[in-house]
Amino acid sequence: MFLPVILWTDALVFALLAVLLGALLRVRRSAPLRASWRRVWRNPAALSAALVLSVFLLIGLLDTLHFRPALSAASVPVTASAPGAASASAARYSSEVRSVLDVLLAPLASRSERTYSAPLATHAYARETIELPDGRQVREFPRLRHGGAHLVQLDDWAEDVMLRVLRGLVLALVLWFVLSWMLVIALRPQAEGGTQDRMHEGSRMSAAEFSAQVWRGQSEIPWRSLLITLGFLLALILPIGMLVPEYHVLGTDKVGQDVLLLSLKSLRTALVIGTLTTLVMLPFALLLGMMAGYFRGWVDDLIQYLYTSLHSIPGVLLIAAAVLVLQVQIETRPEWFPTTAQRADFRLLALCFILGITSWTGLCRLLRGETLKLREFDYVQAARAFGVGHWRIMRRHILPNLMHIVLIAVVMDFSGLVLAEAVLSYVGVGVDPSMNSFGTMINAARLEMGREPMVWWSLSSAFVFMFFLVLSANLFADAVRDAFDPRLHIGGRSA
Amino acid sequence: MSHYLLRRLFYAVLILIGVNLITFVLFFKVNTPDDMARMQLGAKRVTPAAIAKWKADRGYDQPLVWNSERQGSEQLTQTIFFQKSVEMFRFEFGRADDGRDIAREISQRMWPSLALALPVFLIGMLVHISFALLMAFFRGSYLDVGGVVLCVAMMSVSGLFYIIGGQYLVAKVWSLVPISGYAPGMDALRFLWLPVLVGVIGGIGSGTRWYRTIFIEEVSKDYVRTARAKGLSELVVFYRHILRNAMIPILTGAVVALPMLFMGSLITESFFGIPGLGSYTIEAIQAQDFGVVRAMVFIGSLLYIVGLILTDVSYTLVDPRVRFE
Amino acid sequence: MHQDTIKPVLQVRGLRTVIDGSARSADGASMATALAVVDGIDFSLYPGETFAIVGESGCGKSITALSLMRLLPDAARVVAGQVLLQGEDLLALPESSMRQVRGRRMAMIFQEPATSLNPVLTLGTQLVEVIERHTALRALAARQQALAVLQQVGVPDAERRLGEYPFQLSGGLKQRVMIAMALATAPDVLVADEPTTALDVTIQAQVLSLLARLQRERGMAVLLITHDLAVVSQYAQRVGVMHAGKLVEVAACQTFFASPQHPYSQQLLAALPRTQAVPGPQREPWQNNDATTQPASLLQVDDLRVHYPIRAGLLRRTVASVRAVDGVSLSLQAGRTLALVGESGCGKTTVGKAILQLIDEASGQVMFDGLDLMQLRGEALRQRRSDFQIIFQDPYASLNPRMRVSDILAEGMQALGPRGLSEAELAQQVGQLLQQVGLPEDAGTRYAHEFSGGQRQRIAIARALAVKPRLIVCDEPTSALDVSVQAQILKLLLDLQRDTGVALLFISHNIAVVEQVADAVAVMYLGRIVEQGPVAAVLRQPRHPYTRALLAAVPTLDRPMAEAALLAGELPSPVNPPAGCHFHPRCPQAQPTCREAYPLPRTVAAGHTVQCVLPE
């Protein structure tokens, strides 16, 4: 039925997931790491941010499962069809690469208008000259092809929208109760003896008792804030879900594409840039930083020289220069990229690498400094007294003690990279213009600012999506840093 | 001391050479001049003759590093490496694709850049440090917690939105200033104050938070407790003791950014139509003018390295521990 | 002791201080956990006396001091009690009035002189600041006063020092300046929180006797917070023992040391290593120290040098070197213990690490069992490494926090043990080791951070034992531990030595500990050994003036401190040590010849050598 396609960035995203899974297993087995993560989850803001982030991640992942749909027999040109065309072995696949998200959002993609329309509008945003059946020409706001097309009477618009939102809210409330209850049942901790009466024979705390505790904000992990966030998310998503079938909730852009669709598709780009960039630079930063700090001497001099040189080139210029060079390479070798999706994907990957090259220097310097400190630690000296080899010492004694810095760097870099993508795309050295991204959205929307009346919705959508993505990433990163940076835990901070 | 600075200078030259090599490899080795020519000329007009002419116009028709057709020292000098990379050390950047002299262009455009970047930098620092001081002084209070939340929220907004929002509100809705443009002399003020305002506000989130972290770190140090044990008031403790110490990382951190102010701001300049180096760079990138981009890379690195050396000097001036060693 | 006529200057009643924590109980219920660090204590401080609060780490003694000054960290707060300074309750004062008290009527000095002074202000500024705050003196007059106090606390060259920054001063001088700052306004009460813990023993003696002198002169009351009972016995008139937030016993010093009442006090005193103690039964086998029966040396170090180059200039040429170790020779027999004694910075730790071939810059000869380790490289050295191991000072820094205890113990066996050790064999050996050092068998599956300091040190000992070494370098193995734990660890080391016959090179600055564990002792000063010999000889009849001064500076329970024996000045820099005998600038008996050449070792008795020209 379909042919799975794994683009380069897909492969790396999967690799990243594998790494995360491995890390998860490690954390489960190691008590100190578990304790640190518990500290992260005790932060209500981090817990809420993680939920929001995971929704974004889910969308991004759905957009990462790529395939080429089989062409149905009807769409295969008859002239070319051989007798066995219907058989599976000769199935033909479309040259267009689609993702699972595309399939889910197909109704949105197929219902494009001619040009701009405001959110939830039933009519176009600008007057057009329309020929009436009697041959007269008038300038008026034409009805949209899809937006609110089901309304028989335009007066019903407000009522219809309200009803849909209301239905969505009711559904959200029901769903919230169900999910909350499931969460409470699943997360009930072991009841430990003592003061509280046990209502059940089981060793677990009763659900009622636990939910009361959660509600009062007394559970160890602040599940209350998670549930509140969940409530808000459901109250946002479900009404929109109710409106989507008949309206353009966030309006349409210049060529009539649904802005909600564009925003959702942009998420993957932002996430890929934010995560893969750090992933591809990590090996360099780790290896070089550790080598410089551990071996010192000329190795240190050389590595320091390398990263100081790279760092002294202003970031944007190095990126611009590299992307310019890359553009030349891509454009002079069209034979490398059979499809536009592949070309855009290659450019995205290359951008990750280029951003990675410019951003590894900071982490490398941090790691070098920490290694310099660690190598003088007594346990490293003890390992040396056992004659343990250098590389083994680095792997067993230094690397594990650097991982918290790496983790902090990864989460802290994420939001910066998402913001950088927008700027770079604006400058013209970002992702491929054919690729959906917040940068390209802003860039296009910027030109619409001059219109009278102003087209505000694409810009606002990009703003809102980016803001919540970056804000939750920032909040989460802060919590991770606080939990993993031992310096902050000395001397107990005030609450 | 002078030995130390000499060493830093020597190291700076080494780094500049490294930067130069990186850009040379990037622009002439990874990408050959032929590639550039094809790209610039467009697919339709690519003929060997056209490429040759394009290269000859720009002086790219020589061998990369060794000219075996020449005699003596010209074997080295009549090469792309010498003409395009080594010459940069003499601030000879050649001509842009539109035929103008790049060095001249840079020397003219850096002043508008400075006129924008310097006020943003100075006013920004003043504002951020004041806010940070206020938050650190009332640390743990609602003012502080609220301030931190606000900072994180402001940090989460892309710089582009600050510019767009500022232009929309101030220039379009309130029509207080022209949306974009520039004029020489005092007239520039009319065009500058909005971008300066936008720049300062855009930096509040990250700036304030950064300075607050520095102050908070100082607050927890032992000498602060000693100062309190003397019976000094909290205000004196803050201004005489904490601020003095915190100013060391703040000042030296600022000094490294100082020379970079000449480079201007890419985005702000191009949004507001200010003819500085930032917008020059953007135009060059969009027009794929490699000569200009290379020149800007060189200038940027040079300024950064000057910043590093100034940092070293400023440390010796501000920090008695370094001064007396 | 105190008649009713004398009114206490400071009275503490029912003081209770808690630290707020966000810790929650195991069942998930959040407790408003407020840990009572100081749990209702009462005491009085009389004019002119020194009252010592003594206790082990974490007992709440420092928090008590900070509570009195109302200088608690953000997370801690006083919840009950009264602090009456001349009848006025400090806890009830508004903050502005409290500021009038701090530094004026009640001053405080802290443990870490290195971080307690503002690094970017001159000493003059910091001194004048407190004077101007609390007196009518201004500008020049205040400066005169500052100068006067600096001179009183014995800072040499005080005029010049006023314009200097803290980093230009040594630790001892910094603490003197701290004292000057505290005393500049003649307070009624001085709170001294571990004022000498960060200082070397000779400097400690200087600072403590300075405090005692100033107290006598001014009739001020001193609250001394310390962990060191010996210091208490020498400087305090009354003592309060603090344990788990409570004062379990308050008594006059004489009665306290003669007959401690509370079981905890008794335990604390019993754990104290006594310098005059009779050698324990475990020392029996080595009591006959006849030169004739001495076994061959296991370790013979000759002319060991560690010079770290200092590079400067354009080309990073070596312009000078730090002579951390400058020609050290010593020998150690199998199964014996040699103690290496000296103040911080004398190079004793460097000697230990250089013997273990952990320092690249080392030169000289290190003969181990007839083989020069300095000549061994690569694999040949690696194979010998199981013979000599090390135990470090800081039990928190010496275990990798990311590894399980069993992995920590197995590392050496995997690296040096017989090839192809199976998992089961490893596990069995790890279990054995844990048992040997007195840890539960399930300790292997846990991480180091779950253990206390003493238990960690046991793990570190087990790690060294894992490869069955014949020599263990013990680098201050007990100085980071509380005194009761220290006794246990020392006993463990001695037991292990008896069972396995391992030789110990015991590096320490604690003379009492050395006397308890060592057979022989070598005293180091500025990279060289000034005197070495059998413990009894060196510690009872010290020949070198430095050894004598060092021994005199050690506070003990049993004999009073002789102020005259105090050593002046501080350890010179090892970059350019004084010409001739390194010790001559501080030596009370220095002679002109001392300036000319470093004296050669001279044997004064069997196995007892001293590097000094003094006849005796």
Side-chain angles (χ1 to χ4, degrees):
Chain A
M1 284 307 288
F2 62 88
L3 181 71
V5 174
I6 296 180
L7 298 173
W8 276 106
T9 50
D10 298 347
L12 283 175
V13 168
F14 296 142
L16 185 68
L17 282 182
V19 170
L20 283 182
L21 212 64
L24 195 72
L25 288 178
R26 234 190 116 77
V27 169
R28 284 187 69 88
R29 277 189 288 126
S30 149
L33 290 176
R34 271 209 313 272
S36 292
W37 277 105
R38 272 194 109 72
R39 279 207 292 276
V40 174
W41 301 130
R42 276 193 204 137
N43 181 333
L47 203 62
S48 304
L51 180 68
V52 177
L53 274 182
S54 51
V55 171
F56 285 133
L57 276 177
L58 182 72
I59 296 172
L61 277 179
L62 288 177
D63 206 8
T64 295
L65 299 169
H66 283 111
F67 65 92
R68 285 161 65 180
L71 292 176
S72 59
S75 65
V76 176
V78 182
T79 48
S81 71
S87 75
S89 61
R92 289 154 147 269
Y93 299 102
S94 155
S95 67
E96 185 201 10
V97 178
R98 290 164 64 81
S99 74
V100 174
L101 186 73
D102 289 332
V103 175
L104 292 176
L105 298 179
L108 279 180
S110 62
R111 295 184 302 117
S112 65
E113 305 292 342
R114 262 214 309 281
T115 180
Y116 296 116
S117 71
L120 298 176
T122 52
H123 289 77
Y125 196 57
R127 285 177 206 274
E128 282 177 36
T129 309
I130 293 176
E131 195 165 331
L132 295 176
D134 59 9
R136 282 185 304 135
Q137 288 189 339
V138 286
R139 279 186 64 77
E140 63 164 27
F141 300 103
R143 272 296 283 269
L144 293 178
R145 275 186 274 181
H146 302 284
H150 67 298
L151 296 173
V152 186
Q153 280 201 303
L154 281 178
D155 300 344
D156 296 342
W157 176 81
E159 193 184 330
D160 185 57
V161 170
M162 292 278 260
L163 262 177
R164 282 168 188 272
V165 169
L166 212 61
R167 238 180 293 161
L169 286 177
V170 170
L171 199 59
L173 198 66
V174 172
L175 204 59
W176 182 78
F177 267 111
V178 172
L179 286 176
S180 304
W181 192 249
M182 280 163 63
L183 201 78
V184 164
I185 298 281
L187 293 171
R188 278 179 304 162
Q190 304 287 319
E192 289 203 16
T195 55
Q196 288 144 328
D197 295 322
R198 249 175 263 167
M199 296 165 93
H200 292 283
E201 278 301 302
S203 59
R204 283 185 151 203
M205 191 187 278
S206 81
E209 199 180 320
F210 183 57
S211 50
Q213 212 179 71
V214 167
W215 189 243
R216 288 196 302 267
Q218 288 175 342
S219 52
E220 188 204 345
I221 309 284
W223 296 116
R224 184 174 59 173
S225 67
L226 183 85
L227 290 179
I228 293 173
T229 315
L230 180 71
F232 273 113
L233 276 177
L234 288 175
L236 195 68
I237 293 172
L238 288 175
I240 290 180
M242 289 287 151
L243 289 168
V244 154
E246 301 298 343
Y247 295 98
H248 298 291
V249 179
L250 298 178
T252 55
D253 73 351
K254 187 174 182 180
V255 291
Q257 291 186 86
D258 191 291
V259 173
L260 178 63
L261 174 77
L262 293 180
S263 306
L264 291 176
K265 292 284 288 174
S266 298
L267 277 174
R268 176 178 185 269
T269 314
L271 290 169
V272 164
I273 296 249
T275 52
L276 288 195
T277 301
T278 347
L279 183 76
V280 296
M281 70 143 175
L282 262 187
F284 295 101
L286 260 178
L287 188 71
L288 293 181
M290 225 158 57
M291 279 172 67
Y294 186 83
F295 290 115
R296 299 190 298 189
W298 65 267
V299 179
D300 189 18
D301 290 342
L302 193 72
I303 292 171
Q304 276 200 71
Y305 174 65
L306 186 69
Y307 72 60
T308 316
S309 294
L310 266 178
H311 190 73
S312 69
I313 305 176
V316 187
L317 279 170
L318 185 60
I319 294 164
V323 171
L324 277 189
V325 168
L326 181 84
Q327 259 174 349
V328 173
Q329 297 291 325
I330 291 179
E331 291 192 19
T332 50
R333 287 168 187 79
E335 68 277 9
W336 287 1
F337 310 104
T339 64
T340 40
Q342 272 167 309
R343 194 184 67 188
D345 181 70
F346 177 78
R347 180 150 170 182
L348 179 63
L349 179 69
L351 192 65
C352 288
F353 271 92
I354 292 167
L355 276 168
I357 284 173
T358 54
S359 63
W360 69 274
T361 53
L363 181 60
C364 189
R365 186 172 18 209
L366 268 181
L367 293 176
R368 170 184 170 273
E370 190 68 15
T371 308
L372 272 177
K373 248 187 286 168
L374 284 176
R375 83 186 293 281
E376 299 302 330
F377 262 56
D378 290 343
Y379 57 79
V380 175
Q381 299 274 320
R384 286 183 61 204
F386 284 129
V388 179
H390 293 313
W391 295 104
R392 202 176 154 80
I393 287 181
M394 278 197 241
R395 209 184 68 224
R396 282 176 64 114
H397 293 285
I398 305 222
L399 184 64
N401 288 297
L402 292 176
M403 286 324 275
H404 70 282
I405 295 184
V406 170
L407 178 73
I408 292 170
V410 169
V411 293
M412 299 289 276
D413 279 358
F414 176 85
S415 48
L417 289 166
V418 171
L419 294 178
E421 185 275 332
V423 171
L424 291 178
S425 293
Y426 167 76
V427 177
V429 291
V431 295
D432 194 90
S434 73
M435 180 168 257
N436 293 312
S437 86
F438 292 122
T440 40
M441 264 177 91
I442 297 170
N443 207 2
R446 190 186 149 242
L447 303 171
E448 297 158 3
M449 260 189 53
R451 288 181 66 96
E452 259 338 308
M454 197 174 122
V455 175
W456 49 271
W457 47 88
S458 347
L459 206 58
S460 312
S461 309
F463 172 79
V464 169
F465 270 83
M466 269 181 91
F467 179 69
F468 281 103
L469 178 61
V470 174
L471 181 66
S472 39
N474 275 335
L475 290 174
F476 187 66
D478 280 358
V480 169
R481 193 199 46 204
D482 289 352
F484 281 85
D485 193 343
R487 274 186 315 172
L488 291 176
H489 287 280
I490 298 166
R493 294 184 313 151
S494 59
Chain B
M1 187 59 216
S2 59
H3 269 293
Y4 175 72
L5 281 183
L6 263 177
R7 253 179 58 75
R8 297 298 303 179
L9 270 175
F10 176 68
Y11 192 59
V13 173
L14 266 186
I15 287 178
L16 263 187
I17 292 173
V19 170
N20 217 312
L21 285 177
I22 293 172
T23 44
F24 178 77
V25 168
L26 205 58
F27 281 98
F28 294 106
K29 201 72 197 170
V30 178
N31 238 16
T32 60
D34 286 42
D35 287 334
M36 278 188 270
R38 262 184 233 118
M39 170 98 179
Q40 288 271 314
L41 294 170
K44 286 174 196 161
R45 278 169 292 168
V46 173
T47 59
I51 291 179
K53 180 171 182 308
W54 189 90
K55 278 163 55 179
D57 284 349
R58 286 161 181 76
Y60 292 157
D61 53 349
Q62 287 164 330
L64 280 182
V65 287
W66 186 255
N67 195 337
S68 51
E69 290 168 17
R70 299 294 182 117
Q71 300 295 315
S73 65
E74 287 202 339
Q75 287 188 321
L76 273 178
T77 56
Q78 294 300 315
T79 59
I80 292 181
F81 180 69
F82 190 86
Q83 302 268 317
K84 299 290 169 194
S85 282
V86 179
E87 288 284 288
M88 282 205 196
F89 284 95
R90 300 199 304 131
F91 296 100
E92 288 292 336
F93 301 118
R95 293 184 176 280
D97 282 347
D98 60 7
R100 295 196 209 172
D101 183 51
I102 298 177
R104 208 180 124 76
E105 197 79 359
I106 288 176
S107 67
Q108 282 173 354
R109 280 173 170 261
M110 63 192 211
W111 302 113
S113 278
L114 196 66
L116 172 59
L118 194 65
V120 171
F121 179 76
L122 292 180
I123 300 174
M125 218 163 111
L126 204 71
V127 170
H128 304 164
I129 290 181
S130 314
F131 284 170
L133 267 176
L134 208 63
M135 283 160 68
F137 191 80
F138 294 106
R139 66 196 167 282
S141 69
Y142 284 109
L143 180 84
D144 180 32
V145 175
V148 171
V149 170
L150 193 67
C151 282
V152 176
M154 288 186 78
M155 278 168 68
S156 305
V157 175
S158 167
L160 296 173
F161 290 115
Y162 285 109
I163 299 174
I164 295 172
Q167 281 188 331
Y168 176 74
L169 268 186
V170 179
K172 198 166 163 185
V173 177
W174 300 336
S175 301
L176 293 178
V177 290
I179 285 189
S180 68
Y182 192 73
M186 289 311 280
D187 273 356
L189 276 181
R190 205 157 48 93
F191 294 96
L192 278 177
W193 77 259
L194 177 58
V196 168
L197 183 75
V198 164
V200 170
I201 292 179
I204 282 183
S206 54
T208 305
R209 217 168 82 116
W210 166 246
Y211 293 126
R212 179 184 171 275
T213 314
I214 293 178
F215 290 135
I216 294 286
E217 201 175 317
E218 286 301 323
V219 167
S220 64
K221 292 204 171 150
D222 280 354
Y223 70 83
V224 178
R225 194 177 53 185
T226 310
R228 293 205 183 108
K230 289 176 179 175
L232 301 177
S233 74
E234 200 63 5
L235 218 60
V236 175
V237 170
F238 234 83
Y239 278 94
R240 194 177 300 157
H241 291 267
I242 296 176
L243 195 57
R244 284 267 180 113
N245 279 278
M247 277 328 261
I248 294 174
I250 290 175
L251 276 184
T252 47
V255 163
V256 74
L258 224 44
M260 293 302 282
L261 296 180
F262 284 97
M263 292 291 286
S265 153
L266 290 182
I267 308 295
T268 318
E269 282 180 20
S270 88
F271 260 99
F272 288 98
I274 292 164
L277 285 182
S279 52
Y280 189 48
T281 314
I282 289 220
E283 284 158 25
I285 291 171
Q286 280 163 353
Q288 303 188 336
D289 190 331
F290 292 86
V292 177
V293 174
R294 264 186 319 117
M296 292 309 295
V297 167
F298 183 81
I299 297 275
S301 320
L302 184 71
L303 292 175
Y304 175 79
I305 292 164
V306 171
L308 281 187
I309 293 174
L310 285 181
T311 308
D312 286 341
V313 176
S314 67
Y315 255 118
T316 61
L317 294 180
V318 196
D319 192 338
R321 282 160 291 190
V322 183
R323 197 191 317 155
F324 286 90
E325 252 159 43
Chain C
M1 244 191 97
H2 291 275
Q3 304 92 329
D4 292 336
T5 48
I6 304 176
K7 273 167 76 182
V9 58
L10 184 76
Q11 255 185 310
V12 175
R13 288 191 196 145
L15 182 70
R16 214 175 118 83
T17 303
V18 298
I19 290 187
D20 294 319
S22 58
R24 282 152 213 252
S25 62
D27 63 348
S30 100
M31 307 271 163
T33 47
L35 186 68
V37 203
V38 178
D39 199 4
I41 62 169
D42 306 87
F43 66 88
S44 301
L45 187 64
Y46 293 89
E49 77 159 350
T50 299
F51 177 65
I53 293 184
V54 69
E56 295 186 303
S57 53
C59 72
K61 54 189 192 298
S62 284
I63 293 290
T64 304
L66 293 173
S67 302
L68 303 186
M69 296 289 290
R70 288 182 41 189
L71 284 174
L72 288 168
D74 290 344
R77 62 202 154 86
V78 177
V79 290
Q82 283 182 312
V83 176
L84 302 170
L85 180 67
Q86 283 145 344
E88 185 181 19
D89 187 3
L90 296 185
L91 298 180
L93 287 181
E95 178 63 23
S96 57
S97 314
M98 185 62 206
R99 277 190 219 117
Q100 297 290 340
V101 174
R102 274 189 220 122
R104 175 73 192 86
R105 294 162 60 194
M106 199 155 96
M108 183 161 180
I109 51 180
F110 301 95
Q111 175 170 351
E112 280 291 342
T115 53
S116 293
L117 289 166
N118 191 328
V120 301
L121 298 181
T122 61
L123 302 177
T125 316
Q126 300 188 51
L127 270 165
V128 165
E129 180 179 58
V130 66
I131 294 167
E132 289 192 342
R133 169 76 180 84
H134 293 295
T135 67
L137 300 177
R138 288 290 173 272
L140 207 62
R143 204 178 159 80
Q144 288 301 325
Q145 167 72 5
L147 187 65
V149 214
L150 264 196
Q151 281 160 344
Q152 274 178 40
V153 299
V155 171
D157 216 356
E159 181 86 56
R160 180 169 58 88
R161 293 291 185 191
L162 281 179
E164 289 195 341
Y165 291 92
F167 75 96
Q168 290 166 295
L169 272 61
S170 66
L173 277 182
K174 273 184 212 152
Q175 197 62 305
R176 280 174 193 268
V177 173
M178 280 297 293
I179 293 173
M181 258 162 51
L183 301 188
T185 54
D188 304 317
V189 175
L190 177 69
V191 180
D193 183 8
E194 303 261 13
T196 56
T197 308
L199 305 175
D200 272 319
V201 60
T202 56
I203 310 299
Q204 161 171 300
Q206 291 172 7
V207 169
L208 286 174
S209 63
L210 167 72
L211 271 179
R213 196 193 83 216
L214 291 169
Q215 182 186 20
R216 267 200 313 277
E217 288 168 9
R218 301 176 172 218
M220 145 184 91
V222 174
L223 179 66
L224 178 69
I225 310 283
T226 182
H227 67 281
D228 193 338
L229 276 172
V231 166
V232 173
S233 79
Q234 303 229 320
Y235 295 95
Q237 283 87 50
R238 287 192 311 130
V239 58
V241 179
M242 198 159 177
H243 179 57
K246 292 194 158 71
L247 274 178
V248 295
E249 180 168 0
V250 179
C253 271
Q254 277 166 332
T255 34
F256 176 78
F257 286 104
S259 59
Q261 296 301 309
H262 194 277
Y264 178 73
S265 314
Q266 291 163 355
Q267 199 186 322
L268 213 56
L269 271 171
L272 208 62
R274 304 252 171 170
T275 37
Q276 304 299 324
V278 201
Q282 68 271 27
R283 309 306 308 155
E284 291 303 343
W286 308 109
Q287 282 311 294
N288 51 345
N289 268 350
D290 291 331
T292 47
T293 58
Q294 268 196 1
S297 297
L298 174 71
L299 175 74
Q300 179 72 47
V301 176
D302 269 315
D303 200 25
L304 182 70
R305 281 163 202 275
V306 180
H307 292 184
Y308 295 108
I310 298 174
R311 298 176 196 282
L314 203 54
L315 300 169
R316 308 305 269 160
R317 275 174 316 214
T318 304
V319 292
S321 52
V322 180
R323 296 152 176 250
V325 178
D326 201 17
V328 160
S329 305
L330 46 85
S331 77
L332 174 59
Q333 285 88 42
R336 297 280 185 109
T337 301
L338 169 67
L340 206 52
V341 176
E343 295 176 273
S344 57
C346 74
K348 54 190 192 301
T349 295
T350 314
V351 169
K353 288 190 177 169
I355 290 173
L356 295 189
Q357 305 302 311
L358 292 176
I359 294 178
D360 299 333
E361 289 85 353
S363 65
Q365 201 181 41
V366 177
M367 299 296 287
F368 185 86
D369 204 12
L371 207 63
D372 187 359
L373 297 181
M374 291 297 223
Q375 303 302 323
L376 294 183
R377 287 283 172 272
E379 187 60 23
L381 177 63
R382 211 181 66 82
Q383 281 179 355
R384 302 292 307 208
R385 280 198 179 276
S386 61
D387 282 341
F388 35 92
Q389 279 303 315
I390 184 163
I391 300 167
F392 297 95
Q393 170 176 1
D394 182 357
Y396 290 86
S398 68
L399 303 176
N400 187 340
R402 302 264 175 242
M403 280 164 78
R404 280 166 210 278
V405 170
S406 56
D407 294 330
I408 290 174
L409 298 186
E411 177 163 52
M413 291 188 257
Q414 282 165 339
L416 296 174
R419 299 265 164 208
L421 223 54
S422 76
E423 289 282 317
E425 284 169 309
L426 265 180
Q428 190 230 336
Q429 290 199 14
V430 165
Q432 240 172 23
L433 280 168
L434 288 171
Q435 199 189 359
Q436 212 174 352
V437 297
L439 284 174
E441 210 155 318
D442 69 329
T445 58
R446 297 196 268 159
Y447 287 85
H449 73 96
E450 298 171 50
F451 296 91
S452 68
Q455 287 173 319
R456 282 159 172 254
Q457 206 59 307
R458 287 174 192 268
I459 297 170
I461 293 172
R463 170 174 63 189
L465 284 180
V467 292
K468 301 187 170 57
R470 295 156 70 194
L471 165 71
I472 298 181
V473 173
C474 305
D475 185 3
E476 308 250 16
T478 60
S479 40
L481 305 176
D482 278 326
V483 55
S484 55
V485 182
Q486 163 172 297
Q488 295 163 14
I489 295 292
L490 291 178
K491 181 172 182 309
L492 173 66
L493 280 174
L494 290 176
D495 289 349
L496 288 172
Q497 184 173 42
R498 193 188 54 220
D499 295 344
T500 62
V502 65
L504 301 178
L505 179 65
F506 197 92
I507 297 168
S508 180
H509 69 276
N510 190 331
I511 305 285
V513 167
V514 165
E515 182 148 17
Q516 194 178 340
V517 300
D519 302 293
V521 60
V523 182
M524 274 188 85
Y525 185 77
L526 213 61
R528 298 199 184 199
I529 289 176
V530 294
E531 180 166 7
Q532 61 180 319
V535 163
V538 174
L539 299 187
R540 302 281 148 65
Q541 288 132 9
R543 300 302 185 93
H544 197 283
Y546 175 66
T547 316
R548 283 192 210 144
L550 190 65
L551 291 174
V554 176
T556 58
L557 295 186
D558 319 280
R559 85 189 129 75
M561 169 79 52
E563 217 167 293
L566 286 186
L567 207 51
E570 309 204 10
L571 203 66
S573 157
V575 176
N576 44 21
C581 174
H582 292 348
F583 186 60
H584 83 258
R586 300 173 75 188
C587 183
Q589 293 154 285
Q591 294 169 6
T593 47
C594 292
R595 249 169 246 131
E596 284 153 22
Y598 204 89
L600 293 171
R602 196 155 53 81
T603 305
V604 290
H608 187 176
T609 57
V610 57
Q611 296 196 306
C612 184
V613 294
L614 287 178
E616 224 177 311

